[in-house]
Amino acid sequence: MKIAFIGGGSIQWTPKLVTDLALTDTLAGADLVLHDVDAEALDLLTRASERIVEQVEETLRVTATADRAEALQDADYVIVCVSIGGLAAMRNDLEIPERYGIYQSVGDTVGPGGLARGLRHIPFFVQVAREMEHLCPNAWMLNLTNPMTTICRGVTRATGIRTIRLCHEVTGVRDHLASLFEVPVETIVLQVAGINHLPVILDLTICGHDGKRMLRDWLSEHGAFTFAEGVELNTVFDVFVDRLAVKLTLFERMGVLFGAGDRHVAEFLPGFLTPASERGLRYGVLLTNVDQRAEMARLRRVQVEGFVAGVPEKLERSEEQLAPMMAALAGGPTGEFIVNVPNRGQIDNLPRDAVVECTAHVDALGVHPLAVGDLPHPVHAVIAPHVARQELVVEAALTGRKEPALAALMTDPLVHDPAIAGPMLDELLAANARHTPD
């Protein structure tokens, strides 16, 4: 088995994912080839990966290459985890819209930031997929890069490569519910469908009981804003804390329980990230700060450098789905996973071929999404317009035409005045040009 890791110099993802791969019995003996355009990062993460493998009895063979074609040649799986333009591009994605009065808590999926990021990343992923069609046509492309939905749609629309996008947001929400009700996480069973970063929990059982009824009872006693009180930033990591107030407010008012972190959910609807809400602070949502992200990356790099130098670190499986899913596809233990794949009828009232997030059974024969029928009307009213905008983003990325991108931006719920969409888009495109290779 050969696994190519495009973006293998990622300080955030590579140690975690390589640890998961190394601890997965079905993948023992595989060749893991790391590739990155950053030679220094690739060298550091290769040495870290070799040490990880050494600690778990050399279950993988790790090599590295600066040649992407060499990494892709005859691969069975292609992991892609990249950030084109890095934090400098992210700063543009956040600060340019903010000059127009638009606040984004993440800025990597929807809104102006999600649009700009999609226009940077979709062409790259399509190029990799086209290379795969020649070098490893039967391989699976496995992606953890945002914006997942538009990237996946771009690849499946432009190429024949099989691709799966994997996100951990639902896992995080399930952990929060387990903590809230003080029950083991395995007692919580969810049925999920929607789009990435806006999946909906259609059915919820907790210890065999009606979980939504339990949640309503809890809210009647405590209130949704329990998790928004006294918010302050004490560490660089606090910005990622999910305080639940957005989800629970929507559940109280709409009867809809979304299955992603509040920082993502807030960007899909109007009203949560406005001056009136203190730019989200009233709901416990903190905006992404690029300087904090840079500090987090610096701290993580110091930790990895220490590990390479011999500082002990306990290696444990993460909650990411990538390694167990690869094992299932390779003939190992089967399972159910939250995936982002084209809609083949698993959600009846969303367009066919649109990329949706859903539960799927995965085995050696492939990915088998579980059908849920129609999304309820309130859910459909929120999600369907975003699906239409995602199609516009993909159209713009694949054709280079500005008009679809402008239409997507003018109709986005974060854009409070359509008149600002044109000049803001021009600024974003100019900023993107500085970070996008020819």
Side-chain angles (χ1 to χ4, degrees), residues 265-304:
V265 174
E267 294 185 320
F268 284 83
L269 296 104
F272 289 107
L273 300 171
T274 65
S277 70
E278 299 178 76
R279 305 192 305 172
L281 190 63
R282 179 169 175 263
Y283 293 92
V285 172
L286 298 171
L287 305 185
T288 288
N289 182 296
V290 176
D291 292 332
Q292 291 165 355
R293 293 237 180 183
E295 177 63 8
M296 287 175 61
R298 186 192 70 80
L299 293 173
R300 181 59 178 142
R301 185 180 183 88
V302 169
Q303 184 181 14
V304 171

Side-chain angles (χ1 to χ4, degrees), residues 365-382:
L365 297 178
V367 178
H368 316 286
L370 307 183
V372 300
D374 285 346
L375 294 177
H377 290 307
V379 174
H380 185 263
V382 176

Side-chain angles (χ1 to χ4, degrees), residues 384-426:
H386 283 290
V387 172
R389 277 186 287 273
Q390 288 163 350
E391 290 293 312
L392 290 169
V393 173
V394 172
E395 177 75 14
L398 294 181
T399 65
R401 294 174 54 232
K402 179 180 175 180
E403 293 81 4
L406 181 58
L409 200 55
M410 287 181 66
T411 58
D412 191 279
L414 292 184
V415 180
H416 50 83
D417 180 1
I420 67 175
M424 180 168 53
L425 178 60
D426 288 340

Side-chain angles (χ1 to χ4, degrees), residues 300-350:
R300 181 59 178 142
R301 185 180 183 88
V302 169
Q303 184 181 14
V304 171
E305 289 172 340
F307 175 70
V308 169
V311 176
E313 188 170 318
K314 186 177 181 180
L315 300 180
E316 297 178 312
R317 285 185 176 86
S318 74
E319 292 187 331
E320 299 298 330
Q321 301 180 97
L322 183 127
M325 171 171 286
M326 290 172 61
L329 290 168
T334 64
E336 290 190 356
F337 301 88
I338 306 297
V339 299
N340 288 268
V341 293
N343 185 21
R344 303 293 189 229
Q346 58 265 41
I347 302 179
D348 281 338
N349 56 349
L350 290 181

Side-chain angles (χ1 to χ4, degrees), residues 73-123:
Q73 184 68 57
D74 300 322
D76 298 288
Y77 302 97
V78 178
I79 302 168
V80 190
C81 187
V82 299
S83 179
I84 296 172
L87 293 177
M90 179 182 286
R91 187 181 297 277
N92 292 327
D93 296 346
L94 298 170
E95 292 184 357
I96 290 173
E98 189 161 333
R99 290 203 295 270
Y100 290 88
I102 296 174
Y103 307 107
Q104 299 170 101
S105 40
V106 185
D108 67 3
T109 302
V110 292
L115 168 68
R117 189 174 174 88
L119 295 178
R120 282 199 305 278
H121 287 79
I122 294 168

Side-chain angles (χ1 to χ4, degrees), residues 45 47 56 91 106 116 140 146 157 165 221-222 249 268 280 323 335 343 354 367-368 383 400 411 427 434 436 438:
L45 272 300
R47 287 185 287 136
V56 294
R91 187 181 297 277
V106 185
W140 287 94
N146 291 317
R157 178 171 160 177
R165 267 49 184 171
E221 181 178 351
H222 298 90
T249 297
F268 284 83
N343 185 21
V367 178
H368 316 286
I383 289 179
T411 58
E427 284 198 55
R434 297 194 292 272
T436 304
D438 294 333

